[in-house]
Amino acid sequence: MLKIVNQTIVFLIELIMIGTFAYFGYQIGNSIFAKYALAISLPILAIILWGYWAAPKSVHRIMMPYLALFRLSLFLLASYLLYRCGQNKFAIILAIFSLSTQIASIILEGNE
């Protein structure tokens, strides 16, 4: 039961991470073209990396605990980008949830 709850929260954090990359890309763009190009390309890059190394059905999926470290690094990058955009409280909340879910992932999924 705890494993399912943790995996659900990780999935929600993954969606927030993708949205954060789009938000950050839009915020740092200088022109309207750059805003949309970055808002589209940064999430696509994150999705490609996630799909290659962290997706459950990926042939190249990283094993625990390295999977948790990979996910944590992307989640903390999203937290940092939120901080850079001035969303300090949300960045801290995201970082705390990211760290706690990945510690739980190592404990709950470590023997798979």
Side-chain angles (χ1 to χ4, degrees), residues 55-95:
K57 298 204 181 210
S58 172
V59 178
H60 305 284
R61 186 174 183 164
I62 303 170
M63 302 305 291
M64 281 293 183
Y66 304 108
L67 175 62
L69 292 173
F70 175 75
R71 292 190 298 207
L72 183 62
S73 64
L74 285 178
F75 294 159
L76 291 179
L77 176 60
S79 295
Y80 173 71
L81 297 179
L82 280 174
Y83 175 77
R84 290 277 315 267
C85 289
Q87 304 292 330
N88 301 343
K89 291 179 184 176
F90 192 52
I92 292 169
I93 292 169
L94 181 60

Side-chain angles (χ1 to χ4, degrees), residues 1-10 104-105 108-109 112:
M1 177 68 175
L2 286 176
K3 183 177 171 182
I4 294 171
V5 171
N6 189 57
Q7 288 175 339
T8 303
I9 294 170
V10 169
S105 291
L108 297 172
E109 300 174 30
E112 290 183 2

Side-chain angles (χ1 to χ4, degrees), residues 38-52:
L38 288 170
I40 293 170
S41 61
L42 289 178
I44 288 175
L45 178 61
I47 290 168
I48 289 170
L49 291 173
W50 191 276
Y52 191 78

Side-chain angles (χ1 to χ4, degrees), residues 6 68 72 97-109:
N6 189 57
L72 183 62
F97 270 93
S98 299
L99 184 60
S100 60
T101 57
Q102 294 315 299
I103 290 171
S105 291
I106 291 171
I107 294 168
L108 297 172
E109 300 174 30

